[in-house]
Amino acid sequence: MKRSKYRLPLSQRIYLIAILKGMGITARHFFTNLLRPGRMPNVGYPEKRRNYSPRFRGLQILTVKPNGEIRCTACMLCATACPADCIHITAAEHPNPEVEKFPKEFNIDMLRCVFCGMCEEACPVDAIRMGTRYELANFERNQFIYTKDDLMRAGNYTQSRVTRP
Amino acid sequence: MTEVSSPVHFSEQMLETVDRLIAKYEKPECALLPILHLAQDQFGHLSPPVLNYVASLLKMPPGKVFDVVSFYTMFKTRDMGKWCLQICHNVTCTMMGAERLVHAAVESLGVGVNGVTEDKQFSLVTVECLGSCDKAPVMQVNNEFVERALDAEKVKNLIKDLREKGQTTFEEVTR
Amino acid sequence: MSTDVAVKKVSVTIDDKKVEVTPDKTVFQAAVEAGIFVPHYCYHPDLSIAGVCRMCLVEVDNAPKLQISCNTPVRDGMVVRTSSDKARQAQKGSLELHLINHPVDCPICDKAGECKLQDFYREFGLYKSRVELEDKVHKPKAKDIGTIVLDAERCILCTRCTRFTHEVTHTDELVIVNRGNRSELKTYDDGPLRNDYTGNLADICPVGALTARDFRFQQRVWFLEKKNSVCTMCARGCNTTVSVNPKTKKLYRVEPRRNPEVNKSWICDTGRWRYHYVYGESRLRTPEKISDGRVLESTWHQAFGEMKRALEDPSGIVIGLSTQLTNEEILELVLSFKESGVKHFVRIVDEQVIEERSPWDGVLKHRDHTPNAEGFARMFSMMNTKFLDCAGLAALVGEGNLRHAWFFGLEGEDVSWASRFVEALPEGVSLTLHATSRLPIWERAQWLLPAASAFEKSGTMVNALGRLQRLQAAIPRVSLARDGHAVAFGVQRGADRDAAPEARHVDLFEKLIAAPLLGREQVWKKLDPMGVALKERS
């Protein structure tokens, strides 16, 4: 194979200009952040948090009817639509004959959930919605199974439910 | 098919009529309708024991008898009092204002549709076509028709007459 | 044997497909033979024709109006179109009329996923509703009528259920009262259903008006997979499909499979809903040794070890085989124990019933609650063994040399007919029972070994009509339950090796079938799902 006869010129070979260019970029960022801190792209978590749009998909919320009962009728469409197979529902007979069916158990395994929102789309009665809570880190594996009560109250959260071992 | 025992029993004379009716048809159950009319005339209304008795007479399953009775509005399954007011709610009569008659009757009687008054004097039902559409709206009181130019006022008067005098000349109303 | 007069067939063209049928058939049946699907609700192959749903409307050439195919007899040269524009429009219109007052119950209705209204709407409907929600007529909702829940509002008045209670069970409980859009389905006295075949009502109802209380809200049907099997609660051997959730591997319901020769489309309530013993409280899950009135959980290893040791003196052992075992299990157990030297075998069967002249109940049920008495009988000469009956067992006991009695294959909770065999054994004889459930009548046993239920084993059985039918395992064995093959294998080896006996039933099946007694060459995999009629027992 013929070797290329082309050689970089000296000014490029000593890389000095390239070095100075790189340092220049760093210096520019340094001074911009020093003099205009509001322009920095970082978010100072956890003191500051990003503002997400109202369509943001976080922890699910199970909605309730005006009388306080769960709206879900255990039709299992969300469990069927879920691509991660993380929703487990047990249906039961509701004492009120007009309601007839309701979920006795409604568990979502957040370790499997991918927050795609398919459950929200599948629900025919607007019983499950993707809420805005995303701080779900925890130390215990079993703390990631969110039960019916957890999800019904998921709309009113103030802080994460971390339990330290 | 189970034979349900009941204290209901036709009289000897009625049983003879029943036999005559059954003899007219190929199968005993074909004589059901006339026998139901007989039973209704005899017992006032067709309660479950009466229907079970008729079913056993005709060797039919009781369910079939209930099925037929519920279809025809002329067959009463409850005690409908002395005067049973039946207002047609089918197409022509509704178009000609049967609903107003119903409202008037409900007001005068103090019971809703399908209701029977406390003193067991009156009852009100809406029924299917009575076959007199040219004189719509039509009302039937027990077995007599009240028709032609019938309106809310006349219904109220009719009820008043029946209450006070215990009778009314229906011709008067239809004129 | 009547002489077969050749009936002249007529030729009908349906959707450009020519088909030859006998002249007594209807256009619908001709379409079925041609493999063409015509939407319908009220037609059922095992009930009389009603013609009330008006869904099967088809276009017939030279007829001015559309005809209902279920009640139009065929004529030679008829040309029928089931999916022309006119026919489809009529079918769509009929569907719309059915749905006018139908409640929007799909999320809470059990029938979702197998509902004919849903299916046909998806295929032929897809129109926008023209009825306001407020104008819908309301009727009584979920009413408990015994084993079935009746929802009159969902009913489309196809009359399949009323025809069923009239023609099949002759009890006439269900009627349609009133008329017009106030027609309502109910039991004539508002009481519960009073027959043994109520479960079939939930099957034939095309919508969710009649649903089984046992299955209510348990599962959505699209989570379930169906497996073919045979019912083992009586000697009829109704063909079934067993619905299992493949994720949890649990059994959720048993439904009948259509077999015109055996059970038509029906199954009795016992066969349908008695499967709960498989998961019930009384189910034996581990081998249990009972000594001094105390129940000790043990292992198969120990059980097999003891049995192997007892086999060192086989003359004091009697083996009892229940007629609830499959043919293959019976053969294997007999041959295996004969090899070990055992001489005494007892057939545990409902002796009072099997010789009865008319043991049928008029619809389906046989008084013998065991499924394989006939198979047992047919294999007698193959096994070349004398089987004792209860009296014979008592005589054997009388001789005084008996020390062990091992009874295999006792299944379910309804085994009172086997109690006389247990009672025939005196105190000194140690009883080892291979059964599915712990019952009071087994109190006297020294060893209770968990048996695999009929849903957990594969094999063949011969029903009282002489039909060889195939059982297929639908669920994995519950806990440590073992079938007859595993037991025979384990006793020979002295230890539990459940892995090996899986396909032993296939080898034994081939042995059974090739034998002149059962009369045919068959392959297990290709065995007709409808079963094989065996020739009469000589």
Side-chain angles (χ1 to χ4, degrees), chain B residues 1 4 52 61-64 66-67 70-71 73 89 128, chain C residues 166 170-173 175-180 182 188-189:
Chain B
M1 252 157 47
V4 185
N52 285 328
K64 281 248 144 67
F66 277 76
D67 193 344
S70 66
F71 186 90
T73 48
H89 68 188
E128 300 303 329
Chain C
H166 182 62
H170 308 292
T171 48
D172 294 279
E173 294 114 322
V175 287
I176 300 206
V177 296
N178 295 332
R179 57 180 173 173
R182 288 185 311 290
Y188 73 91
D189 57 354

Side-chain angles (χ1 to χ4, degrees), chain A residues 73-77 79-80 85 91-94 97 99-102 124-125, chain C residues 105-110 141-142 149 151 154 216-220 222-223 247:
Chain A
T73 55
C75 71
M76 318 245 193
L77 287 181
T80 309
D85 190 26
E93 189 90 34
H94 196 277
V99 178
E100 232 177 291
K101 195 177 183 190
F102 83 112
V125 294
Chain C
D105 269 356
C106 295
I108 59 175
C109 177
D110 273 334
K141 300 289 288 175
V149 178
D151 190 315
R154 298 177 193 165
R216 191 167 167 79
F217 299 163
Q218 294 296 312
Q219 280 284 302
R220 283 312 214 177
W222 55 82
F223 291 145
K247 288 219 180 90

Side-chain angles (χ1 to χ4, degrees), chain C residues 245-264:
Chain C
N245 182 329
K247 288 219 180 90
T248 60
K249 301 250 183 356
K250 257 193 93 170
L251 152 64
Y252 283 96
R253 69 175 175 182
V254 174
E255 291 172 293
R257 187 161 43 101
R258 181 150 201 265
N259 187 333
E261 310 291 326
V262 181
N263 61 316
K264 302 234 185 86

Side-chain angles (χ1 to χ4, degrees), chain A residues 13-14 29-30 71 80 94 96 112 124 149 151 155:
Chain A
R13 257 185 295 148
I14 59 179
H29 278 258
F30 178 76
R71 194 180 286 271
T80 309
H94 196 277
N96 179 353
R112 293 187 72 104
D149 290 323
L151 295 167

Side-chain angles (χ1 to χ4, degrees), chain C residues 413-469:
Chain C
E413 295 175 346
D414 169 31
V415 275
S416 47
W417 45 269
S419 55
R420 48 163 61 184
F421 291 87
V422 173
E423 284 156 17
L425 301 169
E427 278 295 312
V429 178
S430 146
L431 175 62
T432 300
L433 269 178
H434 175 243
T436 58
S437 314
R438 194 184 304 111
L439 301 167
I441 62 172
W442 306 148
E443 244 172 354
R444 179 224 172 295
Q446 273 66 45
W447 268 99
L448 281 173
L449 303 174
S453 70
F455 300 98
E456 299 156 32
K457 61 188 183 188
S458 300
T460 55
M461 294 193 176
V462 181
N463 73 359
L465 300 164
R467 199 174 187 86
L468 181 80
Q469 301 187 119

